[in-house]
């Protein structure tokens, strides 16, 4: 059992997952030969399947790192491209197709690429081996091949045939060995012929005596010797097998046996030459095992070195703080939940009240503007509209009369608009929106912010919960405010509060209005210019100036844009005047009390405090209800939902998630690299111990 090779191949796979560095190359068998020397046929004979790209043109453009894994207890044979993640491929013609595609993907102008294709083949019929197939040497470029192709292939092969690799030099029996490109290449890097195995293919094409002479070659002596093979599968038998799936080992063995057995005097058991693919396999296994064993010490040393570097980085850069994708996720989630809990303590009934009341204040302002303050000029079309001046308008505003049914109707309609606004849906949706925005802000402040995947998961979770809770909450809240739709009583205290609040609202609205006026005035080119424009518009309104024709280009020496700005300024001026007027009215004694409880007459005179009191009543119901139904349920469900969502993630997703952040990725890589190297080093030490004992036993034996 070639335990060492197997273990070393496993170790190499592990090292590959952490980006094996150049110092950690474990020995492989590198297969070189000129085109048509039978290189592919030899490799396929070893694997037992046709799987290499075929074609008249040069199709191997990238090195193929072929790892054979012996699976003694399994029946199935399959291949895997670890870097492509295509899974197990049991159809070898599919492997052939994939290899062809990968090779053809190398642009013609690049000729060859030194980016290797990794292919693993698992089978009970293959030995544990690590082979590298390289593009075949060419003698002369074909007319359609780039001129530098020959050198490029040579350079690529030279890179791979360096120690500690074993060279498998393929030469065809019908070509003089002196002309073998493979042997010549091996000579350059292995002049003493210590790590080269010579394979002579197409033994059936030469006379057996000549064949034996070739294998016993004295001109190119190789310490590991030559093996003669006949790897061609007879065409007639091959067609009986379905292409790609059948194992061709027995066909080749039979074919080879029928040839070599026909010449027992030369290739028989007493012969000094080695022939046959099965002998070649055995030789490869032994040679690789011995090479692995010889390289154990240097490889261990290299791993020691790598580990020392990784440990240093871990200490200096990360202060020896261990990290895994899972622990990173768990920490991030804990921190997020903590921040969320802190937020939930700052966002309660009072905060809901503030945002709902603010919204209703706006609604009240709109209602008042529509029903009570609706006389001022809102927009003025220059040519055809003539209106009163602001002062006149204010003076002309209808005087309130508590006895007049019209004034009752006005207030009743306004109150009803407010109570039938759909406060349930409105208050619920603005609260839910505020919560969702707060969650977004929390995400941005958390480590999750650099993870698009987590941002998406958390936002989705909160939005789903809020959506679900909102349905019922909105409906139930609507039922709660129902009584107000029929009758609203306002106590003197409520009136007082309403009066105070609406005064503030109007004052702040007035401030905004004045601010906007100043901004527009500035856009008009200053106070004086603004005055000119405004007085022109006023004169038009009063009919003192009559405009004729098309005013699209402007009028009175002012451009159309300037006049439009002027109208905006006028609107703001009107609005400010009305707000000031109403503020004075509300602050007057007339509005200081709701009036006798049986008539509540003041409300018709001063609708502002009354409507504000109604809005406050609605808000009180809403905040109480939303606090109990929306906030507390959301605060309970959301962290649990997050916990469940993140816990359900599979290891791969967690890893991908953690790696989204470059800083975390680097940290994880260092930790992983260090752990992996520690593990590999332990394995290597075990193997060296085993080798020492085995070696001792061999010596004693
Ligand atoms: P590569 O270009 O070096 O990979 O060579 P291939 O393995 O594709 O073989 C080139 C040609 O030689 C093909 O037509 C094979 O069928 C043929 N061939 C390979 N091995 C043998 C063999 O042992 N005997 C004979 N007669 N032909 C062979």
């Amino acid at each position: 059992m070639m335990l060492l090779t197997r273990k070393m191949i496993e170790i190499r796979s592990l090292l590959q997952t952490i980006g094996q560095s150049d110092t950690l190359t474990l020995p492989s068998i590198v297969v070189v030969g000129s085109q048509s020397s039978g290189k592919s046929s030899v490799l396929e004979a070893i694997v037992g399947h046709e799987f290499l790209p075929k074609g008249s043109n040069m199709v191997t453009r990238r090195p193929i790192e072929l790892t054979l894994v012996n699976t003694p207890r399994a029946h199935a044979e399959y291949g895997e491209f670890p870097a492509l993640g295509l899974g197990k491929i049991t159809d070898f013609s599919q492997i052939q197709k994939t290899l062809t595609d990968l090779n053809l993907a190398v642009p013609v102008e690049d000729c060859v690429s030194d980016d290797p294709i990794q292919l693993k083949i698992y089978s009970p019929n293959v030995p544990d081996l690590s082979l590298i197939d390289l593009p075949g040497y060419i003698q002369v470029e074909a007319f359609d091949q780039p001129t530098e192709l020959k050198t490029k292939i040579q350079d690529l092969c030279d890179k791979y045939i360096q120690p500690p690799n074993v060279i498998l030099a393929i030469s065809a029996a019908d070509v003089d060995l002196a002309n073998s490109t493979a042997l010549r290449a091996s000579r350059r890097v292995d002049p003493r012929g210590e790590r080269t195995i010579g394979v002579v293919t197409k033994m059936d094409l030469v006379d057996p005596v000549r064949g034996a002479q070739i294998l016993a070659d004295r001109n190119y002596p190789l310490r590991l010797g030559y093996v003669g093979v006949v790897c061609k599968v007879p065409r007639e038998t091959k067609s009986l097998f379905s292409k790609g799936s059948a194992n061709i080992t027995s066909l080749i063995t039979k074919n080879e046996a029928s040839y070599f057995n026909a010449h027992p005097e030369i290739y028989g058991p007493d012969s000094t030459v080695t022939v046959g693919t099965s002998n070649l396999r055995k030789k490869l296994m032994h040679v690789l095992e011995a090479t692995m064993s010889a390289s154990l010490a240097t490889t261990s040393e290299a791993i020691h070195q790598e580990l020392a570097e990784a440990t240093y980085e871990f200490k200096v850069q990360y202060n020896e703080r261990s990290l895994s994708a899972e622990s990173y996720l768990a920490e991030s989630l804990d921190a997020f939940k903590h921040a969320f809990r802190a937020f939930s303590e700052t966002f309660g009934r009072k905060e809901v009240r503030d945002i709902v009341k603010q919204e209703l204040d706006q609604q009240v302002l709109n209602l008042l503007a529509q029903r009570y303050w609706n006389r001022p000029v809102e927009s003025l079309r220059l040519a055809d509209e003539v209106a009163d001046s602001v002062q006149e308008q204010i003076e002309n505003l209808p005087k309130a009369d508590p006895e007049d049914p019209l004034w009752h109707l006005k207030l009743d309609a306004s109150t009803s608009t407010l109570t039938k606004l759909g406060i349930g849906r409105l208050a619920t949706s603005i609260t839910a929106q505020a919560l969702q925005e707060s969650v977004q802000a929390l995400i941005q402040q958390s480590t999750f912010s650099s993870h698009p995947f987590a941002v998406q998961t958390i936002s989705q979770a909160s939005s789903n919960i809020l959506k679900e809770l909102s349905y019922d909450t909105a409906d139930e809240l609507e039922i709660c405010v129902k009584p107000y739709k029929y009758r609203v009583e306002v106590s003197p205290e409520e009136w007082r509060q309403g009066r105070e609040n609406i005064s503030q609202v109007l004052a702040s609205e007035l401030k905004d209005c004045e601010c906007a006026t100043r901004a527009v005035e500035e856009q008009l080119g200053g106070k004086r210019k603004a005055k000119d424009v405004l007085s022109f518009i006023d004169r038009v309104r009063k009919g003192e100036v009559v405009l004729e024709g098309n005013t699209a280009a402007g009028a009175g020496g002012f451009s159309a844009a300037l006049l439009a700005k002027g109208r905006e300024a006028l609107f703001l001026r009107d609005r400010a005047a009305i707000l000031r007027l109403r503020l004075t009215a509300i602050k007057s004694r007339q509005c200081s009390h709701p009036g006798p409880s049986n008539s509540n007459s003041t409300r018709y005179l001063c609708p502002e405090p009354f409507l504000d009191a109604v809005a406050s009543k609605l808000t009180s119901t809403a905040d109480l209800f939303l606090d109990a139904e929306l906030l507390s349920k959301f605060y309970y469900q959301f962290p649990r939902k997050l916990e469940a969502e993140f816990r359900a993630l599979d290891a791969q997703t967690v890893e991908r998630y953690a790696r989204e952040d470059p800083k975390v990725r680097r940290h994880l890589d260092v930790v992983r690299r260090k752990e992996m190297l520690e593990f590999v080093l332990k394995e290597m030490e075990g193997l060296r111990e085993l080798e020492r004992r085995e070696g001792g036993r061999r010596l004693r034996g």
Side-chain angles (χ1 to χ4, degrees):
M1 183 80 187
M2 303 281 124
L3 177 77
L4 187 61
T5 305
R6 190 183 182 85
K7 279 274 174 204
M8 294 289 257
I9 286 177
E10 279 170 15
I11 285 174
R12 196 187 52 181
S13 301
L14 286 178
L15 292 175
Q16 266 165 354
T17 62
I18 52 163
Q20 175 192 23
S21 88
D22 288 347
T23 46
L24 293 183
T25 325
L26 296 178
S28 282
I29 298 171
V30 182
V31 192
V32 290
S34 52
Q35 271 189 338
S36 299
S37 58
K39 193 161 65 71
S40 309
S41 305
V42 171
L43 277 171
E44 290 181 341
I46 293 167
V47 171
H49 283 277
E50 288 188 59
F51 70 100
L52 287 167
K54 299 275 159 59
S56 53
N57 203 352
M58 194 265 309
V59 270
T60 305
R61 293 185 184 163
R62 289 171 64 180
I64 303 173
E65 287 185 4
L66 181 63
T67 306
L68 305 186
V69 184
N70 180 254
T71 48
R73 274 179 285 279
H75 282 297
E77 298 178 285
Y78 61 89
E80 254 178 22
F81 291 94
L84 304 188
L86 299 173
K88 295 178 180 177
I89 309 175
T90 46
D91 180 356
F92 280 75
S93 65
Q94 194 53 46
I95 297 179
Q96 192 172 39
K97 188 171 174 310
T98 308
L99 284 175
T100 309
D101 293 345
L102 289 170
N103 273 305
L104 290 177
V106 177
V108 181
E109 59 275 18
D110 290 359
C111 313
V112 288
S113 149
D114 56 5
D115 175 26
I117 299 170
Q118 286 159 2
L119 170 61
K120 279 185 161 184
I121 290 177
Y122 299 82
S123 160
N125 308 315
V126 296
D128 288 310
L129 277 183
S130 160
L131 299 149
I132 299 171
D133 183 27
L134 291 168
Y137 288 112
I138 52 169
Q139 306 300 335
V140 227
E141 288 95 353
F143 72 95
D144 56 345
Q145 286 173 331
T147 43
E148 68 269 41
L149 180 60
K150 189 172 161 180
T151 358
K152 280 208 168 181
I153 294 176
Q154 238 167 33
D155 292 348
L156 177 63
C157 292
D158 278 359
K159 203 177 123 185
Y160 274 93
I161 56 181
Q162 302 303 324
N165 286 340
V166 174
I167 304 167
L168 194 67
I170 314 276
S171 320
D174 58 346
V175 177
D176 191 351
L177 280 200
N179 291 332
S180 161
T181 333
L183 285 175
R184 245 182 290 145
S186 134
R187 259 289 155 90
R188 270 188 282 118
V189 290
D190 177 28
R192 289 148 64 104
E194 286 177 331
R195 52 184 183 92
T196 305
I197 303 173
V199 176
V200 182
T201 59
K202 311 189 187 182
M203 290 293 287
D204 55 325
L205 296 186
V206 291
D207 171 79
V209 179
R210 166 89 193 106
Q213 273 171 0
I214 299 174
L215 296 181
D217 192 88
R218 291 282 152 250
N219 290 329
Y220 296 95
L222 297 176
R223 191 172 63 79
L224 303 172
Y226 287 90
V227 184
V229 293
V230 179
C231 290
K232 190 176 166 136
V233 185
R235 197 175 292 262
E236 56 288 1
T237 355
K238 200 162 110 182
S239 60
L240 292 176
F241 285 76
S242 61
K243 205 171 178 295
S245 54
N247 194 299
I248 53 172
T249 312
S250 62
L251 284 181
I252 291 175
T253 322
K254 242 190 232 155
N255 189 44
E256 259 187 334
S258 71
Y259 176 75
F260 290 122
N261 292 347
H263 308 285
E265 69 294 354
I266 295 171
Y267 300 123
D270 301 332
S271 167
T272 51
V273 294
T274 316
V275 291
T277 352
S278 59
N279 282 331
L280 175 61
R281 283 181 185 214
K282 279 184 210 141
K283 195 186 252 311
L284 293 181
M285 286 160 70
H286 282 110
V287 170
L288 190 59
E289 181 86 357
T291 315
M292 292 278 190
S293 163
S295 73
L296 258 183
T298 45
T299 314
S300 289
E301 188 44 46
I303 292 175
H304 252 302
Q305 191 104 22
E306 292 269 325
L307 179 60
E309 279 168 28
T311 311
Y312 180 77
E313 192 180 352
F314 182 57
K315 191 171 174 172
V316 173
Q317 300 252 9
Y318 301 101
N319 205 15
E320 302 194 319
R321 193 168 75 85
S322 196
L323 185 77
S324 70
E326 292 79 19
S327 70
Y328 173 69
L329 177 65
E331 273 172 34
S332 312
L333 186 60
D334 274 353
F336 185 79
K337 279 174 26 190
H338 191 74
F340 179 72
R341 198 173 317 120
F343 157 76
S344 69
E345 277 155 21
T346 63
F347 192 90
R349 189 173 168 192
K350 183 183 168 307
E351 285 67 28
V352 173
R353 180 181 173 78
D354 287 349
I355 55 171
V356 173
K357 185 66 197 339
Q358 219 168 23
E359 174 64 29
L360 289 185
D361 284 348
Q362 277 310 311
Q363 301 278 352
V364 167
L365 279 186
N366 290 345
L367 273 175
L368 288 166
Q370 268 172 31
R371 293 226 160 82
Y372 290 92
W373 316 334
N374 56 355
R375 289 299 304 278
V377 184
E378 289 197 4
S379 63
L380 177 68
R381 267 166 292 127
L382 262 186
D384 52 18
E385 198 159 325
V386 178
D388 307 327
S389 78
V390 181
Q391 204 47 48
E392 277 172 287
Q393 280 191 48
I394 292 172
E395 280 160 16
N396 288 346
L397 279 177
K399 295 281 173 293
D401 177 2
E403 304 307 321
D404 186 345
L406 176 73
W407 288 90
H408 284 240
L409 212 61
K410 256 178 184 298
L411 191 68
D412 290 348
S414 303
T415 313
S416 143
T417 308
L418 206 53
T419 54
K420 292 181 184 155
L421 194 65
I423 181 84
R425 183 148 324 142
L426 180 73
T428 309
S429 81
I430 57 172
T431 309
Q433 196 183 335
L435 286 172
Q436 183 70 15
E437 280 165 11
S438 304
V439 168
Q440 297 295 355
L442 287 175
I443 297 175
Q444 286 317 315
Q445 290 153 17
S446 74
T447 44
F448 286 127
S449 62
S450 47
H451 299 281
F453 164 77
V455 173
Q456 162 82 11
T457 311
I458 301 173
S459 320
Q460 198 66 47
S462 86
S463 122
N464 285 349
I465 298 176
L466 287 170
K467 222 181 272 169
E468 211 152 278
L469 290 174
S470 294
Y471 282 128
D472 292 345
T473 313
D475 287 350
E476 286 163 21
L477 176 55
E478 202 58 49
I479 296 170
C480 290
V481 298
K482 212 169 172 184
Y484 294 129
K485 293 179 186 170
Y486 303 104
R487 190 176 172 77
V488 186
E489 287 300 334
V490 173
S491 71
E493 175 54 21
E494 286 167 341
W495 181 273
R496 190 193 60 74
Q497 273 178 13
R499 185 171 174 236
E500 200 175 297
N501 183 56
I502 198 74
S503 301
Q504 274 169 19
V505 172
L506 292 188
S508 107
E509 186 74 10
L510 177 60
K511 221 163 145 195
D512 288 352
C513 206
E514 286 167 345
C515 217
T517 312
R518 272 196 299 281
V520 176
E521 274 174 1
E522 237 152 71
Q523 287 165 4
L524 280 169
K527 248 189 157 56
R528 274 185 59 178
K529 185 84 186 262
K531 214 172 146 196
D532 290 348
V533 182
L534 259 62
S535 79
F536 174 71
I537 300 173
D538 261 347
R539 277 164 59 211
V540 174
R541 294 201 310 195
K542 285 181 185 153
E544 291 168 15
V545 177
V546 179
L547 297 176
E548 279 166 13
N550 188 358
T551 54
F558 303 110
S559 71
L562 217 53
L563 292 174
K565 276 274 160 239
R567 287 195 294 273
E568 201 181 316
L570 214 54
F571 167 73
L572 290 167
R573 196 186 67 184
D574 290 357
R575 187 163 168 85
I578 287 177
L579 287 169
R580 269 186 224 107
L581 187 82
R582 290 312 304 166
L583 262 170
T584 320
I586 295 161
K587 282 182 184 155
S588 72
R589 269 184 37 159
Q590 248 184 332
C591 282
S592 65
H593 193 274
S597 61
N598 55 352
S599 76
N600 278 321
S601 53
T602 317
R603 62 169 74 165
Y604 302 112
L605 213 57
C606 307
E608 289 92 348
F610 176 72
L611 289 176
D612 187 88
V614 175
S616 290
K617 279 174 182 288
L618 291 173
T619 306
S620 294
T621 312
D623 64 32
L624 179 68
F625 195 79
L626 287 171
D627 183 35
E629 287 300 308
L630 190 66
L631 296 196
S632 38
K633 284 186 183 167
F634 180 63
Y635 292 160
Y636 180 82
Q637 289 180 17
F638 181 51
R640 282 163 183 79
K641 174 89 178 158
L642 284 188
E643 189 79 45
E645 292 254 337
F646 281 102
R647 196 166 289 169
L649 299 177
D650 57 53
Q652 236 180 345
T653 317
V654 173
E655 184 78 23
R656 202 177 48 220
Y657 152 75
R659 291 183 155 271
E660 278 176 349
D661 184 332
K663 275 208 306 270
V664 177
R665 187 170 61 228
R666 274 196 298 279
H667 191 167
L668 283 176
D669 279 346
V670 170
V671 173
R672 213 165 132 228
R673 192 172 170 74
K674 187 176 148 290
E675 283 173 2
M676 186 70 88
L677 288 168
E678 277 164 356
F679 173 77
V680 164
L681 200 63
K682 224 172 104 201
E683 290 277 294
M684 297 278 288
E685 293 304 329
L687 284 177
R688 286 181 77 179
E689 182 56 32
L690 195 74
E691 276 289 294
R692 270 196 288 275
R693 265 187 276 137
E694 289 275 309
R697 199 176 308 148
R698 270 202 293 270
L699 280 178
R700 282 195 299 278

